[in-house]
């Protein structure tokens, strides 16, 4: 019985390493016409390759830096890179003047206000930060 | 040092402006670097626009500061200004203005720029001073020294990009002109490039990039020694040395066509970073003879540490031409003979003075120890042909035994 419980716990740890509400969501302004994005489209938008949504409308990226762990997890799941690597990548694009680095927003409340007032806005949040003013267009598997 | 004070002041001005306007963004990058050079003969510089650093420790060679201003004018128009302060050969404030351009991007596919621009010729040319953006302490000298010296220009370019499936294709066409003050191996040179025409093609996936570029320009230049040599050659009576006039034409540096070809490859899967470039430069000017250059760099990341090794080489593709002795020599009086021999020697030396032949082995370490900051250590060992040291600034005439070690410590950052 003991062995069974231990293996059950081990199995749970392996297959459910994170709680379901630790998932990350890519969100846009609730009025945005986009319903969902593919992983590739999310990568292109957040890594500065696309300046528009698939429907041609302008996109404004807000880099949610209110919590370093969340941000690290986001880029790990997005492009499998560390924050230092992402930062070095942006240094290349920003200072060769190709693309302007997305604005980092380090206050949750400010981020929500910006997302509310920017129809072209896109960012990523944890499940606890979801809000009726935000529309989920992509969800990372936790 | 006064340059950095000026930099600080301009930085403050920019920052003030950035806060006053919306849609205006101020950012910057820099490096604090120290180089130890163990050669008593060869001074090192990252490119010819910078003063060389001689034997011992120096902080001038790699220390620089860049300030950038991005201004969103409307949805499709924006403007970018970038100033880079470093130990330049020229001292005018406007020489520190790296770029200043207006850009029009009607959609995601097209971009048009005009103003002072970066020539996007080799993989790093547009961010060569942004140490934080690459593993090495500096762009590989064998490949970048010469091209970095001439890779900003006044003109315009057109970029077209599109997705091909999951890949990204980009083509860029650029045209313009530039002039620049350089520190050559033995003296300063003023260089002018007219009718620059450059085409860059690149294809990239998530982990890799391949690119090809070609460019051409009408190149002119002046320096004191060459002018003296030219005057002397042109003054030789035709009867004494009939070839002297032709020789002067080959040495004179006016509107000589030069062509540049480059291939590049980069792979980075988050763990391994492999990068290689190969270039060929061809010129009608006798003093810049055709050469090939290339490097291979392999790096491996361990969390915040990146270890890397590089091999680089540059070589002229043919021997320097031998100038025939004047046929009249045996019939001349001793003073005339000596004068002509000296002139012959000077002309022959000018063919050798800018020869390139060297290879470098480098080992280095990058440590991303803090947000937006990286500390780097690098060791470069260069083996230089006695007649091939023109990437360096020589303290003595060439022919010296030349194995040079550089040790570099560098802190790169962005803000």
């Amino acid at each position: 019985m003991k062995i069974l419980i231990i293996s059950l716990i081990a199995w749970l740890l392996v297959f459910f390493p994170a709680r379901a509400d630790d998932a990350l969501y890519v969100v846009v302004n609730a009025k945005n016409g986009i319903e969902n994005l593919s992983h590739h489209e999310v990568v292109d938008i957040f890594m500065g390759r696309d300046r528009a949504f698939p429907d041609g409308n302008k996109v404004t990226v807000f880099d949610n830096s209110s919590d370093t762990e969340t941000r690290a997890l986001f880029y790990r799941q997005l492009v499998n890179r560390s924050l230092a690597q992402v930062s070095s990548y942006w240094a290349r694009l920003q200072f060769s003047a190709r693309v302007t680095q997305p604005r980092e927003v380090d206050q949750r409340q400010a981020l929500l206000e910006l997302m509310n007032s920017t129809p072209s806005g896109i960012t990523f949040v944890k499940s606890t930060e979801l809000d009726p003013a935000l529309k989920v267009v992509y969800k990372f598997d936790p | 040092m006064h340059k950095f004070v000026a930099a600080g002041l301009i930085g403050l001005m920019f920052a003030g402006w950035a806060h006053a306007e919306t849609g205006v963004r101020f950012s910057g990058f820099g490096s604090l670097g120290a180089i130890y050079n163990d050669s008593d003969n060869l001074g090192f510089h990252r490119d010819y626009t910078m003063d060389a650093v001689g034997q011992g420790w120096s902080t001038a060679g790699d220390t620089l500061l860049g300030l950038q201003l991005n201004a969103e004018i409307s949805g499709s128009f924006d403007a970018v200004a970038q100033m880079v302060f470093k130990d330049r050969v020229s001292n005018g404030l406007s020489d520190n203005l790296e770029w200043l351009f207006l850009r029009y991007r009607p959609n995601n596919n097209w971009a048009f720029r005009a103003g002072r621009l970066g020539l996007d010729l080799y993989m790093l040319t547009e961010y060569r001073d942004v140490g934080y953006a690459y593993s090495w302490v500096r762009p590989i000298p064998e490949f970048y020294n010469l091209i970095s010296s001439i890779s900003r220009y006044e003109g315009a370019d057109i970029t077209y990009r599109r997705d091909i499936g999951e890949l990204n294709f980009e083509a860029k066409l650029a045209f313009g002109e530039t002039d620049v003050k350089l520190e050559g191996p033995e003296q300063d040179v003023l260089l002018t490039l007219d009718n620059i025409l450059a085409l860059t093609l690149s294809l990239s996936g998530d982990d890799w990039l391949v690119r090809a570029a070609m460019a051409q320009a009408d190149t002119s230049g002046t320096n004191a020694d060459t002018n003296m040599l030219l005057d002397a050659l042109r003054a030789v009576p035709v009867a004494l040395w009939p070839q002297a006039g032709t020789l002067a034409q080959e040495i004179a540096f006016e509107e000589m066509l030069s062509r540049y070809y480059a291939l590049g490859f980069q792979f980075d899967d988050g763990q391994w970073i492999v990068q290689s470039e190969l270039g060929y430069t061809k010129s009608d000017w006798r003093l810049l003879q055709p050469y090939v250059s290339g490097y291979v760099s392999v790096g491996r990341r361990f969390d915040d540490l990146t270890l890397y090794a590089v091999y680089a080489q540059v070589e002229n593709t043919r021997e320097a031409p031998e100038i025939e002795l004047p046929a009249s020599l045996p019939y001349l009086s001793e003073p005339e003979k000596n004068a002509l021999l000296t002139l012959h020697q000077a002309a022959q030396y000018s063919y050798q003075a800018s020869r390139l032949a060297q290879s470098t082995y480098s080992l280095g370490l990058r440590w991303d120890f803090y947000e937006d900051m990286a500390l780097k250590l690098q060791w470069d060992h260069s083996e230089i042909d006695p007649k091939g040291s023109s990437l360096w600034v020589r303290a003595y005439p060439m022919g010296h035994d030349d194995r040079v070690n550089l040790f570099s410590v560098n802190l790169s950052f962005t803000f």
Side-chain angles (χ1 to χ4, degrees), chain A residues 65-131:
Chain A
S65 62
S66 60
D67 171 34
T68 308
E69 248 173 73
T70 305
R71 191 161 174 255
L73 184 64
F74 173 72
Y75 285 105
R76 186 54 75 185
Q77 292 185 330
L78 188 73
V79 286
N80 193 25
R81 297 286 194 273
S82 71
L83 287 183
Q85 286 167 263
V86 170
S87 171
S88 171
Y89 168 89
W90 274 111
R92 168 153 59 88
L93 265 63
Q94 163 81 10
F95 298 114
S96 57
R98 291 177 159 255
V99 190
T100 311
Q101 187 169 358
R103 185 164 152 198
E104 284 183 33
V105 185
D106 58 6
Q107 300 288 327
R108 270 172 211 170
Q109 198 49 43
L111 181 67
L112 196 58
E113 280 163 21
L114 276 169
M115 283 300 294
N116 246 323
S117 60
T118 315
S120 59
I122 188 169
T123 191
F124 56 91
V125 292
K126 291 192 288 196
S127 58
T128 49
E129 295 165 339
L130 286 173
D131 187 278

Side-chain angles (χ1 to χ4, degrees), chain B residues 153-315:
Chain B
Y153 68 104
E154 280 84 48
D157 68 11
I158 302 168
T159 308
Y160 173 74
R161 70 164 289 276
R162 60 164 296 175
D163 292 334
I164 302 175
E166 306 241 306
L167 306 179
N168 188 342
F169 168 78
E170 191 183 281
K172 189 185 269 187
L173 188 66
F175 43 93
E177 57 183 48
T178 186
D179 50 73
V180 58
K181 189 175 176 188
L182 305 176
E183 184 173 23
E186 286 165 22
Q187 58 193 295
D188 285 357
V189 183
L190 281 169
L191 207 63
T192 306
L193 276 74
D194 290 310
N195 302 317
I196 300 171
L197 195 61
L199 175 69
T200 310
L201 304 170
S202 69
L203 190 66
S204 56
D206 286 341
D207 292 340
W208 55 269
L209 165 79
V210 286
R211 71 200 302 288
M214 58 219 92
Q216 65 172 48
D218 290 330
T219 317
S220 308
T222 49
N223 70 48
D225 281 8
T226 306
N227 286 347
M228 270 165 57
L229 175 64
L230 286 174
D231 287 346
L233 283 172
R234 284 170 184 148
V236 174
V238 179
L240 283 187
W241 194 5
Q243 291 84 8
T246 327
L247 215 51
Q249 261 173 22
E250 287 174 351
I251 293 170
F253 194 8
E254 281 157 20
E255 303 275 309
M256 291 290 189
L257 184 69
S258 32
R259 286 203 167 102
Y260 308 84
Y261 305 89
L263 285 174
F265 166 78
Q266 190 180 43
F267 172 81
D268 181 351
D269 66 355
Q271 236 180 4
W272 290 95
I273 320 170
V274 182
Q275 187 164 323
S276 180
E277 287 185 271
L278 194 64
Y280 173 56
T281 296
K282 191 178 176 301
S283 158
D284 289 345
W285 186 38
R286 269 299 157 85
L287 307 197
L288 175 70
Q289 291 148 32
Y291 68 91
V292 284
S293 58
Y295 68 88
V296 183
S297 169
V298 179
R300 171 76 158 84
R301 285 198 187 89
F302 302 92
D303 293 321
D304 290 335
L305 284 183
T306 308
L307 286 172
Y308 57 88
V310 190
Y311 175 73
Q313 199 181 337
V314 59
E315 206 86 47

Side-chain angles (χ1 to χ4, degrees), chain B residues 31-53:
Chain B
S31 292
L32 288 169
I35 308 174
Y36 180 83
N37 176 352
D38 77 347
S39 169
D40 62 349
N41 177 34
L42 297 179
F44 174 75
H45 48 185
R46 293 164 70 113
D47 63 61
Y48 295 86
T49 65
M50 291 180 73
D51 285 320
V53 298

Side-chain angles (χ1 to χ4, degrees), chain B residues 35-45 51-56 58 142 183-186 349 353 355 357-360 381-406:
Chain B
I35 308 174
Y36 180 83
N37 176 352
D38 77 347
S39 169
D40 62 349
N41 177 34
L42 297 179
F44 174 75
H45 48 185
D51 285 320
V53 298
Q55 196 173 25
S58 164
E142 277 81 356
E183 184 173 23
E186 286 165 22
Y349 188 83
R355 298 281 293 173
Q358 73 172 58
S359 42
T360 298
H381 175 78
S382 297
E383 293 178 0
I384 303 148
D385 196 272
K387 287 180 180 170
S389 58
S390 72
L391 289 184
W392 308 72
V393 173
R394 295 187 278 261
Y396 310 112
M398 57 191 183
H400 209 72
D401 178 39
D402 289 313
R403 284 162 180 271
V404 184
N405 291 291
L406 296 179

Side-chain angles (χ1 to χ4, degrees), chain A residues 51, chain B residues 74-79 101-107 109-114 157-159:
Chain A
R51 297 185 308 117
Chain B
S74 76
S76 316
F77 282 95
D78 71 334
F101 64 79
L102 186 68
R103 174 168 47 193
Y104 173 55
R105 287 183 289 195
N107 53 45
N109 299 112
W110 292 94
F112 304 85
R113 304 191 299 172
D157 68 11
I158 302 168
T159 308

Side-chain angles (χ1 to χ4, degrees), chain B residues 101-138:
Chain B
F101 64 79
L102 186 68
R103 174 168 47 193
Y104 173 55
R105 287 183 289 195
N107 53 45
N108 212 18
N109 299 112
W110 292 94
F112 304 85
R113 304 191 299 172
R116 181 178 277 191
L117 301 163
L119 191 62
D120 182 21
L121 195 52
Y122 294 173
M123 209 179 295
L124 272 74
T125 41
E126 282 194 300
Y127 58 99
R128 62 186 185 277
D129 289 327
V130 190
Y132 187 76
Y134 44 81
S135 308
W136 319 309
V137 162
R138 62 189 80 85

